[in-house]
Amino acid sequence: TVPFWFTSCGVEKNAAELAITQASTAFERDVSYRCWCSDLGGGYVPVSDLSSPTPPLTGPNRDFKAPFDDNLILTKINPAYMVRLVYEQEENRSGVKGHKTSRQPMRPENAPEAWEASALTKLEGGEAEEVVALAELNGQNYLRFMGPLIAEKSCLACHVNYNEGDIRGGIGIAVPMLPFTQYAGLATSKLILAHMAVWVVGMAFIMMAGLRLARQTQKREAVEADLRQMTGLLELKVAERTEALR
């Protein structure tokens, strides 16, 4: 849900709710990717510009020639590296940023910035199950989301100093707000136009009904006037007839 302090504007609140849904979905997807790759012990892919050998991994099992092609070199991709490569492609496609961070990162690039450090404090201290905020990045409005990265049994194969169930950092998702505010604004405009159309049709119906009622009233008044005139003539004739008989 959107915290009450986000905004009092219905349009912006709807946009924030949509962005939170996307961020939460991206977080759950990333956790699933990591668990899948971790349960398999990593995966091997061809060495290319999109998948260069993972620097932290060492040993003879990291790279080897494919048995079916001596010219094809395969390299091992660990869970963190796999998701980082996915983040890079997703940011290029949709603008959504993903960042795995920790207070004791193995890579300097994974060190938390100010907002992430504050979010980690809340997650590790049990103050929140997830942290959400609206913030500005590179001059643009983003929805910031962070969920906890919990060590699972499969993680202990590489991280021997971890304990299963410990929070070992967080996954941060930054979703650009512009597409959502534009969509919410367009939806609101359509809703306003729809209400205006209903109002115009309703007013037209009321005016037509009023004109019809006015015409009916005029006809009734004309008929009543004719009846009064006929009644007056009839009374006059009765009076004349009575006088003649007398």
Side-chain angles (χ1 to χ4, degrees):
T1 58
V2 182
F4 74 91
W5 43 263
F6 256 24
T7 176
S8 59
C9 175
V11 175
E12 294 181 358
K13 183 177 181 180
N14 291 339
E17 288 176 345
L18 291 174
I20 289 175
T21 299
Q22 180 171 351
S24 177
T25 302
F27 170 78
E28 296 296 340
R29 180 203 59 205
D30 294 349
V31 171
S32 299
Y33 282 170
R34 288 176 181 273
C35 291
W36 176 79
C37 190
S38 180
D39 290 340
L40 295 178
Y44 286 92
V45 300
V47 175
S48 68
D49 294 338
L50 297 177
S51 56
S52 57
T54 311
L57 296 182
T58 58
N61 295 326
R62 191 190 72 172
D63 307 318
F64 67 92
K65 291 183 179 180
F68 51 84
D69 186 351
D70 291 339
N71 295 321
L72 181 62
I73 304 299
L74 300 178
T75 186
K76 189 174 185 180
I77 300 291
N78 66 345
Y81 187 38
M82 179 194 71
V83 177
R84 186 162 71 250
L85 294 175
V86 173
Y87 283 156
E88 293 175 358
Q89 291 207 11
E90 183 169 8
E91 183 174 355
N92 292 332
R93 291 175 181 271
S94 65
V96 176
K97 303 176 184 291
H99 186 218
K100 185 262 184 184
T101 185
S102 170
R103 292 186 181 279
Q104 298 176 339
M106 297 180 62
R107 299 173 63 251
E109 295 84 351
N110 289 343
E113 39 91 345
W115 184 87
E116 292 174 331
S118 175
L120 285 173
T121 299
K122 295 178 181 178
L123 293 175
E124 294 173 355
E127 298 179 37
E129 296 181 356
E130 58 187 32
V131 182
V132 182
L134 288 174
E136 187 174 293
L137 287 176
N138 301 323
Q140 297 183 14
N141 292 326
Y142 279 82
L143 181 129
R144 303 293 302 270
F145 178 100
M146 180 173 286
L149 190 57
I150 301 174
E152 300 191 8
K153 186 175 181 180
S154 57
C155 302
L156 307 184
C158 295
H159 302 280
V160 294
N161 59 328
Y162 285 7
N163 294 316
E164 186 176 358
D166 288 349
I167 296 179
R168 305 299 301 187
I171 299 177
I173 307 294
V175 180
M177 288 297 300
L178 181 60
F180 295 97
T181 52
Q182 289 177 337
Y183 173 80
L186 180 60
T188 302
S189 298
K190 290 182 177 179
L191 184 61
I192 292 174
L193 290 175
H195 281 295
M196 290 181 63
V198 172
W199 181 83
V200 170
V201 171
M203 290 300 296
F205 177 80
I206 292 173
M207 292 178 64
M208 291 175 62
L211 291 174
R212 184 177 180 181
L213 180 61
R215 287 196 296 267
Q216 290 178 346
T217 301
Q218 291 176 353
K219 289 181 179 180
R220 185 177 65 252
E221 291 177 349
V223 171
E224 291 177 350
D226 291 342
L227 287 175
R228 286 194 296 271
Q229 184 178 5
M230 293 176 63
T231 302
L233 292 174
L234 181 59
E235 291 177 349
L236 179 60
K237 288 183 177 296
V238 170
E240 293 176 349
R241 185 62 176 169
T242 302
E243 182 61 27
L245 290 173
R246 182 180 295 111

